[in-house]
Amino acid sequence: YATQMRTAPGSTFKMVTSTSILMSHTAGLYDTVRCTGTFDRFDRPMRCWIYPNGSHGELTLSEAITHSCNHFFYEMAYQMGISGFGEEQIYDNQVANSKMLEYVELFGLSEKTGIEIEESVPLVSEDANASQAAIGQGSHGYTTVGLARYVTTVANSGTCYNLTLVNKITDHSGNLLEENHATIRNEV
């Protein structure tokens, strides 16, 4: 299951979206979004997990992560897809998805982890609604080991490793034939 079953990452994906928000200058650390419980910029409204029992109100990015506010991330993904100014503003789902894809790749979620056993290829939500993708839904599908590499990258301040299960290889007498360690894939 850890290497072959793919599942949607859900709210764990919000750190990828948060990085995309900041690095694309869509919003800063102290900019706010008002969660009303429902996000109605599309024909079919989407709801924050707190709906119908209230809303989160005004939230900064840090507060949105703390409360896992879906509405905040719906809105930010929508803002990432806006181009133009004033009356000329248009929304492009692909623009928003491409901004998130850059960080999906940097966090190592777009490819196998490197472990030495069979592993499923990850599914990145590139064509789905970017607001759904921003909360880890859409067509995302990642293995547990892929998500572990991503969370490790977040936890160690941005060093993404190619994973390994093999520490060393010895012969039948215990003589070291090869020493192995995880290699650095990239830095975020």
Side-chain angles (χ1 to χ4, degrees), residues 6 108-113 119-124 141-143:
R6 291 181 296 224
L109 285 169
S110 62
E111 63 185 36
K112 294 179 182 183
T113 65
E119 182 180 2
S120 293
V121 175
L123 300 174
V124 180
Y142 304 113
T143 61

Side-chain angles (χ1 to χ4, degrees), residues 34-48:
R34 175 172 289 286
C35 170
T36 60
T38 58
F39 181 74
D40 58 5
R41 289 194 184 269
F42 299 110
D43 293 339
R44 189 169 165 213
M46 297 182 290
R47 296 189 171 105
C48 188

